[in-house]
DNA sequence: TGTACATCAGTGAACGCGCGTTCACTGATGTAC
DNA sequence: TGTACATCAGTGAACGCGCGTTCACTGATGTAC
């Protein structure tokens, strides 16, 4: 009750951070503002001092999570090919780890919000699409330029291959999360098989 | 107001069918029983004549959708390799079509429920896991047994490759749906790139 | 076959509850003089 | 520097609303005799 502007800005960030975790874990619709504000350390009424609506918070959460995820990606500028290949292998191992699967709160937001984004507002969807574009670019930059062995089919561009690889990574993560509780063995098998398959490609 | 047992069973199926569409389109949490029953052609009160709870309906919807999807898959028994290869190519073309992307209501339930299932009950998750297992089996049966060119890496089993392929298919479908409204061009590119990439593998 | 009655699918109002949002109020911050 | 006051982040009760669920009631179905 009576708080400096600096502290208020910190508190606003705490709300965004709490929402980024809770929304990914239980879905945007599954988290109410009372619980959200409590998790951030406040009572419900203060929410509207910081955000116009819940939807406005959702937009900011998507933007923030996508921006953070982009910052975590390797820069990929002018690295020697072998180093960027190693970076890709490291990314793969992390992305398809049980640790990443079980930490949806802080994991890749493209995967974490993939189930919700189609039902969110237009702004959130645009921000999400921008984040997806960044992921494709980062994977393409990390991939060695070697084209796959094409028998008689049209050759794939680097970007097409990058998109294919990322779809497999994301699909494996999403599916391993979907069955993690009901069938831990299948969940593990999905991660492991996709990992092996991606390393071979 | 007085209805034969036969008609009552039909009505029950109408509720399940309406729910199968609405739950996929807008999420389980996004559809209320009033709207659901109205869509099926009834008023809200009758719901509990057929189902113990909303959760019980969810379980039945998942079971029913997975069972229907399995019935649509090619049997894959004793077909010559070339025929099963063609079946796989047909499945791929359908799975990654804009038609399938835009028809989530009747599309693959493994993809349609992938975002919701982790937040549903244990029974729904088990039923979902069973459906996923069926998909892996069907893909494996349709794939030619030819192993990929492994330089010095351990060779992949047919099942491992099938899991990898299906993860890529599902990831592409989920992502193309996620950005379909905000970025139609990117959505199309995801489908097309994954399709090309999968044909080459 | 005809009559009397139990069954139960369907109706629509009502329940408590949690949702997103609004509001009057508090009191430290931070500006004006 | 000290005093007076406007600002505004935070509080917690309250709002209307839609949710899942319950209920008394209706009336054709379908069984018992």
């Amino acid at each position: 009750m009576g708080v400096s502007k600096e502290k208020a800005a910190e508190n606003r960030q705490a709300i965004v951070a709490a929402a980024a975790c809770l929304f990914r874990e239980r879905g945007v619709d599954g988290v109410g503002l009372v619980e959200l504000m409590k998790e951030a350390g406040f009572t419900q009424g203060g929410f509207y001092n910081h955000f116009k609506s819940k939807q406005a918070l959702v937009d900011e959460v998507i933007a923030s999570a996508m921006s953070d995820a982009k910052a975590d990606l390797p820069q990929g500028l002018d690295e020697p090919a072998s180093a960027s290949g190693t970076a890709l292998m490291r990314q793969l191992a992390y992305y398809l780890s049980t640790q990443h699967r079980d930490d949806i709160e802080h994991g890749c937001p493209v995967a974490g919000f993939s189930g919700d984004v189609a039902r969110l507002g237009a702004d959130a969807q645009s921000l999400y699409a921008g984040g997806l574009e960044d992921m494709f670019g980062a994977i393409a930059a990390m991939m060695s330029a070697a084209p796959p062995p094409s028998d008689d089919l049209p050759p794939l561009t680097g970007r097409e291959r990058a998109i294919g690889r990322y779809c497999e990574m994301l699909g494996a993560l999403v599916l391993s999360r979907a069955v993690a509780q009901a069938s831990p063995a299948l969940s593990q098998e999905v991660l492991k098989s996709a990992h092996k398959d991606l390393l071979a490609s």
Side-chain angles (χ1 to χ4, degrees), chain A:
Chain A
M1 318 153 175
V3 139
S4 72
K5 292 195 173 183
E6 189 184 351
K7 188 65 187 168
E10 272 178 41
N11 292 347
R12 181 193 167 95
Q13 276 316 107
I15 298 170
V16 173
C21 292
L22 287 172
F23 285 168
R24 265 181 278 200
E25 201 183 11
R26 308 227 306 278
V28 170
D29 283 354
V31 181
L33 294 187
V34 170
E35 179 191 10
L36 170 64
M37 289 298 282
K38 189 177 179 186
E39 182 76 17
F42 306 99
T43 54
Q44 75 230 49
F47 179 83
Y48 292 89
N49 292 326
H50 294 292
F51 305 97
K52 194 177 109 277
S53 63
K54 188 183 184 184
Q55 181 59 57
L57 171 65
V58 170
D59 293 349
E60 189 155 332
V61 164
I62 300 275
S64 161
M66 291 298 180
S67 167
D68 290 352
K70 189 178 182 183
D72 283 348
L73 290 169
Q75 323 293 47
L77 289 173
D78 302 328
E79 284 185 17
S82 65
S84 62
T86 307
L88 181 57
M89 279 173 59
R90 236 186 292 118
Q91 275 292 121
L92 260 183
Y94 160 70
Y95 207 93
L96 299 173
S97 65
T98 54
Q99 178 191 330
H100 187 202
R101 178 197 67 189
D102 296 337
D103 188 31
I104 187 170
E105 290 192 12
H106 306 96
C108 171
V110 179
F113 290 113
S114 63
D116 270 325
V117 67
R119 300 159 197 155
L120 301 180
D123 289 348
Q125 291 185 22
S126 292
L127 291 161
Y128 183 90
L132 179 60
E133 184 66 64
D134 292 339
M135 286 300 290
F136 288 159
I139 302 284
M142 283 187 281
M143 268 183 8
S144 59
S150 63
D151 305 0
D152 52 351
L153 292 155
L156 289 158
T157 66
R159 181 173 165 88
E160 285 168 340
R161 289 186 65 219
I163 290 175
R165 291 308 160 275
Y166 186 65
C167 287
E168 183 168 347
M169 291 165 66
L170 179 129
L173 182 58
V174 164
L175 287 174
S176 75
R177 282 174 174 161
V179 302
Q181 295 161 67
S183 182
L186 185 60
S187 176
Q188 285 263 27
E189 190 191 8
V190 168
L191 290 178
K192 234 181 155 194
S193 298
H195 195 186
K196 269 184 79 174
D197 186 57
L198 282 158
L199 284 176
S201 72

